[in-house]
């Protein structure tokens, strides 16, 4: 007796106007008596879609030989309604070995038209993606019927689905000719654009008359027959009290290492390279010394002539180990220091300072002996790198109590 059978069906939600498009979100199957919507065996359908391929394996080990009806039904995510069961017939024949059934062909038809065959790649589970022409169909409800043929030449019963034809007009690509935009409830401003099915909106919008706070920017398009689309909305925040833009001057800058102490609490960068804070753009530099070996995050921000601090700009850096090289006979001995968190040191060697460094070895210790290296060449150049997964415990500025 066949212990299980693979069943494949195409489920299609009823086609409706775009604003009410249905998508299938759940499917289930049952054999025999209807257990009620939502109580059948679930079929995985993935993401909701107007049509899904319902592929599942139905266990038949408990069924006696004979004719059975396998029912499939689906539920849509918009109306949350279960559809009517779509039946298929299943025959259990005694004495047959459990041979896999392979689907070789699909057939589909609309209403009572002649079936259209679709050759598919043979398989136990297949997916049918087919564009069904609706030219010549009248406006209204239509039935789409789908069935399969297996490798034994057996044709299944039709699985019925329904769709709606809402218009018989030919598809015409419309052109966007005008754009309207406005803030809040203001009157629209019309922008003429080059006619095209898709256009880009690049416009500098004046905000001098807007109050400080939250505002809604509305944008809609008009096509070449004068129809306006629904507005697309975006949120704009006006933060400056100035009616016109004013150039601000940088008056100070600071940096910090690892832990941000807050605006005004970092390490002061004394002066820009020209020794004067007098420009909207300044070139500054600072030298960090005394950092232990490790990984660091460095932050930087500036203050303008109104006393406002900018957002922080951050970057990372790694301070490598200090390498000491000495010789012992024909051996070269390397020693270095490391901070907490460093591990798996890698030793590289080259014949010239700017040459190509090749990996020699790796170690978790803080020393390495390159045996016999002094007898190979008169001069050898070395680099030691390390891996770390945590920021160094070092920080600038030091921790301090919060201000009252």
């Amino acid at each position: 007796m066949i212990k299980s059978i693979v069943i494949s069906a195409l489920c299609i939600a009823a086609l409706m106007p775009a604003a009410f498009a249905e998508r299938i979100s759940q499917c289930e199957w049952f054999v025999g008596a209807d257990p009620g919507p939502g109580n059948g065996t679930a079929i995985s359908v993935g993401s909701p879609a107007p049509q899904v391929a319902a592929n599942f394996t139905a266990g038949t080990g408990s069924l006696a030989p004979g004719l059975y009806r396998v029912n499939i039904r689906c539920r849509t995510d918009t109306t949350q309604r279960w559809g009517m069961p779509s039946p298929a017939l299943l025959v259990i024949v005694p004495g047959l070995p459990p041979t896999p059934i392979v689907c070789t062909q699909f057939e589909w038809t609309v209403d009572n038209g002649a079936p259209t065959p679709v050759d598919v790649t043979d398989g136990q589970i297949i997916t049918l993606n087919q564009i069904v022409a609706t030219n010549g169909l009248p406006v209204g409800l239509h039935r789409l019927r789908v069935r399969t043929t297996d490798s034994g030449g057996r044709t299944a019963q039709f699985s019925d689905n329904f769709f709606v034809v809402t218009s018989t007009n030919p598809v015409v690509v419309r052109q966007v000719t005008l754009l309207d935009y406005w803030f809040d409830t203001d009157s629209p401003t019309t922008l003429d654009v080059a006619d095209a099915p898709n256009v880009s909106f690049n416009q500098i919008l004046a905000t001098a008359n807007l109050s400080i706070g939250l505002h809604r920017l509305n944008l809609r398009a008009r096509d070449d027959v004068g129809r306006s689309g629904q507005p697309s909305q975006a949120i704009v925040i006006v933060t400056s009290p100035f009616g016109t833009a004013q150039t601000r001057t940088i008056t100070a800058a600071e940096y910090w290492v690892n832990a941000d102490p807050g605006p005004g609490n970092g390490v002061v960068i004394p002066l820009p390279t020209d020794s004067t804070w007098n420009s909207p753009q300044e070139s500054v530099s600072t030298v960090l010394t005394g950092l232990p070996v490790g990984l660091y995050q460095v932050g930087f921000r500036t203050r303008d002539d109104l006393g406002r601090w900018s957002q922080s700009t951050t970057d990372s850096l790694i301070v490598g180990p200090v390498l000491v090289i000495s010789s012992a006979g024909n051996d070269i001995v390397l020693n270095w220091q490391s901070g907490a968190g460093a591990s798996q040191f890698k030793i590289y060697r080259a014949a010239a300072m700017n040459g190509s460094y090749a990996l020699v070895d790796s170690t978790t210790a803080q020393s390495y002996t390159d045996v016999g290296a002094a007898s190979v060449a008169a001069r050898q150049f070395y680099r030691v790198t390390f891996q770390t997964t945590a920021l160094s415990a070092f920080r600038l500025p030091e921790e301090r109590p919060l201000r009252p």
Side-chain angles (χ1 to χ4, degrees):
M1 180 181 296
I2 299 176
K3 299 301 182 182
S4 64
I5 184 170
V6 176
I7 299 176
S8 178
L10 182 67
C11 299
I12 304 178
L15 300 181
M16 302 180 69
F20 303 98
E22 297 278 6
R23 298 184 305 173
I24 295 173
S25 59
Q26 291 179 265
C27 289
E28 64 180 15
W29 68 270
F30 61 90
V31 175
D34 189 343
N39 296 319
T41 302
I43 302 172
S44 177
V45 298
S47 301
Q51 66 179 38
V52 298
N55 303 313
F56 64 96
T57 300
T60 60
S62 61
L63 300 179
L67 183 65
Y68 295 88
R69 186 186 300 272
V70 180
N71 294 275
I72 304 172
R73 64 179 159 218
C74 298
R75 183 184 186 185
T76 61
D77 63 346
T78 303
T79 61
Q80 297 293 308
R81 295 181 301 186
W82 286 95
M84 296 298 294
S86 296
L89 296 181
L90 170 65
V91 179
I92 305 297
V93 180
L96 291 180
T99 303
I101 298 174
V102 176
C103 182
T104 60
Q105 180 178 280
F106 265 104
E107 286 182 321
W108 64 268
T109 178
V110 176
D111 299 331
N112 295 318
T116 299
V118 180
D119 191 19
V120 294
T121 302
D122 297 353
Q124 291 180 271
I125 300 177
I126 59 176
T127 300
L128 175 65
N129 295 310
Q130 185 78 7
I131 297 177
V132 178
T134 59
N135 295 337
L137 295 179
V139 173
L141 186 67
H142 297 271
R143 180 170 61 177
L144 174 66
R145 314 184 74 195
V146 181
R147 68 183 177 188
T148 59
T149 300
D150 66 17
S151 52
R154 294 166 294 197
T155 301
Q157 295 292 316
F158 275 114
S159 175
D160 291 345
N161 298 273
F162 295 91
F163 64 93
V164 178
V165 175
T166 59
S167 175
T168 58
N169 295 328
V171 176
V172 177
V173 177
R174 302 258 61 98
Q175 306 286 312
V176 176
T177 60
L178 298 171
L179 290 177
D180 296 325
Y181 67 90
W182 67 96
F183 285 104
D184 303 326
T185 59
D186 295 344
S187 299
T189 298
T190 300
L191 178 68
D192 193 10
V193 294
D195 296 354
N198 297 286
V199 299
S200 297
F201 178 67
N202 297 305
Q203 187 78 3
I204 297 176
L205 306 179
T207 59
N209 296 325
L210 298 179
S211 61
I212 296 176
L214 196 65
H215 297 271
R216 179 178 285 108
L217 173 63
N218 302 273
L219 175 67
R220 69 183 173 203
R222 278 190 273 173
D223 65 13
D224 48 8
V225 294
R227 297 176 300 190
S228 294
Q230 293 294 317
S232 175
Q233 297 180 337
I235 300 301
V236 176
I237 300 177
V238 176
T239 59
S240 174
F242 301 104
T244 57
Q246 296 184 12
T247 302
R248 303 260 63 90
T249 301
I250 296 175
T251 60
E254 66 180 15
Y255 72 91
W256 47 268
V257 176
N258 282 349
D260 188 347
N265 296 320
V267 179
V268 175
I269 298 176
L271 287 173
T273 54
D274 63 357
S275 299
T276 305
W277 297 105
N278 60 357
S279 173
Q281 298 181 356
E282 297 283 9
S283 177
V284 297
S285 62
T286 188
V287 178
L288 301 181
T289 59
L291 297 182
V293 172
L295 173 65
Y296 295 90
Q297 183 183 47
V298 179
F300 170 82
R301 61 177 153 243
T302 60
R303 187 184 65 195
D304 67 11
D305 51 0
L306 293 179
R308 300 176 300 188
W309 286 98
S310 69
Q311 296 293 317
S312 296
T313 299
T314 59
D315 202 351
S316 61
L317 61 87
I318 291 180
V319 177
V322 177
L323 181 62
V324 178
I325 304 176
S326 59
S327 62
N330 288 328
D331 300 337
I332 301 297
V333 180
L334 310 178
N335 290 280
W336 58 87
Q337 296 178 350
S338 173
S343 63
Q344 195 61 37
F345 299 93
K346 294 185 178 181
I347 298 91
Y348 295 84
R349 181 179 61 205
M353 179 178 296
N354 296 322
S356 177
Y357 283 79
L359 178 65
V360 176
D361 205 346
S362 64
T363 179
T364 58
Q366 296 188 25
S367 64
Y368 179 77
T369 300
D370 195 358
V371 179
S375 63
V376 175
R379 303 179 70 184
Q380 299 278 16
F381 296 85
Y382 293 89
R383 290 178 180 173
V384 176
T385 65
F386 68 96
Q387 295 178 346
T388 181
T389 58
L391 289 174
S392 170
F394 184 91
R395 55 191 289 167
L396 283 175
E398 296 297 331
E399 292 189 48
R400 64 187 72 186
L402 294 177
R403 294 180 177 179

